[in-house]
């Protein structure tokens, strides 16, 4: 039975459970449940603190975990990312009082407050910067005002909290993060149960990102049309009863679907989105 760690709270929890449900896995009904068994899929889920998941996975006690890339790196655990999941995206950056610091080179001799000591220490070492790192749990925006540090490093989503504290980001992002699937370093990723789990999640990602488009076009316009709709691998092309026409079916990015339909219309094609919520004909 595959043993999988899932975030029990925070911004990762809800989207992770929703994705697993879409992938066909049973999920807990109440937030107080810490463990459930899905016998139909031979999977056991453990609901843990997101910060602890990489550590549990690296120990080998659990086979797979869903956590944030930032939490994985910060933990220093012997675990590695095997699949990005596309939600809970954020950017990790330095921030300080406006006009005081312009880049990482200016951090030499300063103190940086953060909840992600592992990430910051590694980043400073990578750039050869000798600075002190103070670990704080929770919000770190007040560290500068209270004199604990001259600079902070934190996850930035909208930047509202930083602006409210009179701070601004500076320099290049330390890292970008999102939810990821992690596996113990050196563990067999090709294990059938692991591959099945990854395939299901990849199927959800494709379903969320692409829609199916069907269209008819003249044979002489086929190459131009297929260039607009290359599909995931290759589109399906079938001859029609009307001579000189073909039917094409291809997956297209949902965000670009309407523009692609416009471009196909310019080629004289007739298109329809067959898996969109609101089908649209041209």
């Amino acid at each position: 039975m595959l043993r999988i760690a899932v975030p029990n709270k925070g911004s990762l929890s809800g989207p992770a459970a929703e994705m697993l449900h879409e992938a066909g896995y049973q999920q807990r009904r109440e937030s107080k449940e810490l463990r459930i068994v899905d016998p139909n899929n031979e999977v056991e889920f453990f609901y843990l603190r997101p910060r602890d998941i990489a550590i549990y996975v690296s120990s080998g006690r659990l086979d797979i975990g869903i956590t944030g890339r930032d939490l994985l790196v910060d933990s220093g655990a012997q675990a590695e990312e095997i699949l990005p999941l596309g939600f809970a995206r954020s950017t990790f950056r330095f921030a300080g009082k406006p006009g005081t610091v312009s880049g990482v080179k200016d951090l030499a001799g300063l103190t940086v407050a953060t909840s992600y000591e592992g990430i910051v220490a590694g980043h400073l070492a990578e750039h050869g910067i000798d600075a002190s790192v103070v670990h704080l749990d929770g919000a770190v925006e007040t560290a500068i005002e209270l004199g604990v540090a001259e600079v902070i490093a934190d996850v930035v989503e909208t930047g509202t909290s930083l602006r409210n504290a009179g701070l601004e980001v500076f320099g290049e992002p330390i890292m970008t993060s999102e939810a990821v699937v992690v596996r113990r370093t050196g563990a067999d990723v090709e294990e059938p149960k692991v591959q099945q789990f990854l395939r299901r999640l990849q199927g959800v990602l494709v379903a969320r990102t692409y829609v199916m488009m069907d269209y008819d076009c003249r044979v002489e316009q086929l190459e131009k049309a297929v260039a607009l709709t290359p599909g995931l691998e290759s589109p399906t092309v079938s001859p029609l009863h009307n001579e000189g026409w073909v039917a094409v079916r291809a997956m297209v990015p949902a965000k670009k679907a309407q523009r692609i339909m416009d471009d196909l219309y310019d080629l004289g094609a007739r298109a329809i989105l067959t898996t969109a919520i609101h089908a649209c004909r041209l």
Side-chain angles (χ1 to χ4, degrees):
M1 183 169 288
L2 202 63
R3 294 157 64 89
I4 301 174
V6 184
N8 67 345
K9 60 181 179 180
S11 62
L12 291 165
S13 178
E18 182 179 352
M19 176 170 276
L20 290 169
H21 178 72
E22 289 181 43
Y25 293 102
Q26 179 182 331
Q27 289 297 287
R28 62 181 181 175
R29 296 181 179 180
E30 298 181 9
S31 59
K32 65 181 180 180
E33 292 182 275
L34 301 180
R35 169 186 169 275
I36 68 165
V37 175
D38 180 354
N40 292 331
N41 292 298
E42 297 183 343
V43 172
E44 189 174 10
F45 291 103
F46 295 82
Y47 297 87
L48 307 170
R49 291 179 68 247
R51 276 190 173 274
D52 297 336
I53 286 176
I55 296 173
Y56 278 108
V57 172
S58 70
S59 72
R61 301 286 182 174
L62 300 179
D63 301 299
I64 285 175
I66 295 176
T67 187
R69 180 181 295 131
D70 52 350
L71 299 175
L72 167 63
V73 174
D74 192 62
S75 71
Q78 294 299 304
E80 58 188 0
E81 173 183 335
I82 57 174
L83 180 67
L85 296 177
F87 63 85
R89 288 191 172 100
S90 61
T91 305
F92 198 74
R93 306 197 66 165
F94 290 114
K97 290 289 186 182
T100 57
V101 183
S102 61
V104 66
K105 64 182 184 302
D106 300 325
L107 296 177
L110 301 183
T111 300
V112 183
T114 183
S115 299
Y116 298 81
E117 186 177 0
I119 293 176
V120 175
H123 186 76
L124 293 172
E126 182 181 334
H127 286 80
I129 303 298
D130 185 12
S132 299
V133 180
V134 174
H135 178 86
L136 296 175
D137 286 322
V140 297
E141 291 89 350
T142 58
I144 296 176
E145 182 180 351
L146 295 177
V148 174
E150 292 88 9
V151 172
I152 67 169
D154 203 7
V155 172
V156 178
E157 294 182 0
T158 64
T160 301
S161 297
L162 294 178
R163 288 192 293 271
N164 290 341
L167 306 178
E168 66 177 13
V169 298
F170 63 84
E172 295 297 319
I174 301 170
M175 71 174 297
T176 57
S177 182
E178 64 181 291
V180 297
V181 178
V182 299
R183 178 89 158 130
R184 181 170 56 85
T185 302
D188 183 12
V189 181
E190 300 301 321
E191 183 181 334
K193 279 292 181 182
V194 173
Q195 282 297 304
Q196 181 188 63
F197 180 76
L198 295 178
R199 282 197 306 271
R200 288 194 181 191
L201 294 188
Q202 287 168 335
V204 173
L205 291 172
V206 170
R208 289 179 173 184
T209 307
Y210 290 86
V211 293
M212 184 71 75
M213 181 176 289
D214 288 288
Y215 62 90
D216 301 340
C217 75
R218 297 286 305 176
V219 172
E220 57 266 26
Q221 297 291 350
L222 179 59
E223 291 304 316
K224 292 180 180 179
V226 168
L228 294 172
T229 61
L232 295 180
E233 296 180 357
S234 178
T236 300
V237 180
S238 305
L240 291 178
H241 179 70
N242 291 340
E243 187 176 351
W245 284 82
V246 292
V248 183
R249 165 168 283 193
M251 299 288 283
V252 300
K255 292 182 178 180
K256 298 180 180 179
Q258 300 303 327
R259 176 61 61 83
I260 291 173
M261 291 177 76
D262 292 340
D263 293 339
L264 288 171
Y265 180 82
D266 291 340
L267 293 177
R270 300 189 291 267
I272 179 174
L273 298 180
T274 56
T275 55
I277 295 177
H278 302 289
C280 179
R281 292 180 181 269
L282 289 179

